[in-house]
């Protein structure tokens, strides 16, 4: 099994020393690889995307507001970039996961809108 040596800043070293036994237990040979693997796992899309949608839904929007709901300009630009890279066959596996998640989010938003659009014609 390969060994990895880490260099950390003095500040981080002091913080680790303050943690003491908990740090030693977490960095044991059995635990550190697991912690490193977990730290590399990133959500498919940034947390602020989910927060934006949840904040909107938590605001108790009217049916009209739901019908008008759309991604932020930043989200639209990122999706455009991912779609362009996908069309060019240049997506990385991480970007593919991100694009898939954006598609799931879009499907969810469409379902939410479909459930509320009937109220607009009443």
């Amino acid at each position: 099994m390969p060994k990895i040596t880490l260099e950390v800043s003095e500040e981080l070293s002091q913080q680790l020393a303050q943690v003491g036994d908990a740090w030693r237990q977490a960095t044991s040979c059995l635990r550190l690889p697991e912690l490193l693997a977990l730290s590399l796992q990133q959500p498919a899309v940034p947390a602020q995307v989910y927060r934006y949608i949840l904040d909107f839904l938590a605001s108790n929007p009217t049916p009209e507001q739901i019908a008008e709901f759309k991604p932020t300009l930043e989200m639209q630009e990122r999706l455009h970039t991912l779609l362009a890279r996908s069309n060019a066959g240049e997506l990385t596996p991480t970007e593919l996961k991100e694009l898939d998640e954006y598609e799931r989010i879009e499907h969810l938003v469409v379902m939410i809108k479909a459930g509320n659009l009937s109220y607009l014609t009443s």
Side-chain angles (χ1 to χ4, degrees):
M1 177 177 287
K3 290 186 179 189
I4 298 175
T5 302
L6 298 174
E7 290 186 25
V8 297
S9 68
E10 186 63 35
E11 180 183 344
L12 180 56
S13 176
Q14 290 173 2
Q15 290 173 347
L16 294 172
Q18 289 175 356
V19 175
D21 289 335
W23 170 248
R24 280 189 282 287
Q25 289 174 357
T27 59
S28 71
C29 291
L30 299 175
R31 189 86 170 106
L32 185 56
E34 177 186 344
L35 294 173
L36 287 172
L38 288 172
S39 72
L40 293 174
Q41 295 177 359
Q42 299 293 319
V45 297
Q48 66 259 27
V49 171
Y50 300 109
R51 174 54 103 193
Y52 171 72
I53 295 166
L54 290 174
D55 286 347
F56 172 75
L57 293 174
S59 73
N60 197 22
T62 65
E64 292 82 7
Q65 290 170 320
I66 292 172
E68 294 171 7
F69 181 74
K70 62 182 181 181
T72 65
L73 183 59
E74 180 182 272
M75 286 185 247
Q76 292 174 34
E77 289 172 355
R78 180 60 181 158
L79 187 54
H80 177 72
T81 298
L82 290 171
L83 290 171
R85 289 181 52 76
S86 178
N87 289 337
E90 299 173 347
L91 279 182
T92 66
T94 301
E95 289 172 327
L96 180 58
K97 287 179 185 178
E98 183 180 2
L99 182 57
D100 288 346
E101 187 63 15
Y102 272 114
E103 289 175 356
R104 280 190 281 279
I105 290 169
E106 179 186 20
H107 181 72
L108 174 65
V109 171
V110 167
M111 289 176 22
I112 291 169
K113 287 183 176 192
N116 285 283
L117 289 178
S118 61
Y119 298 118
L120 295 177
T121 58
S122 305

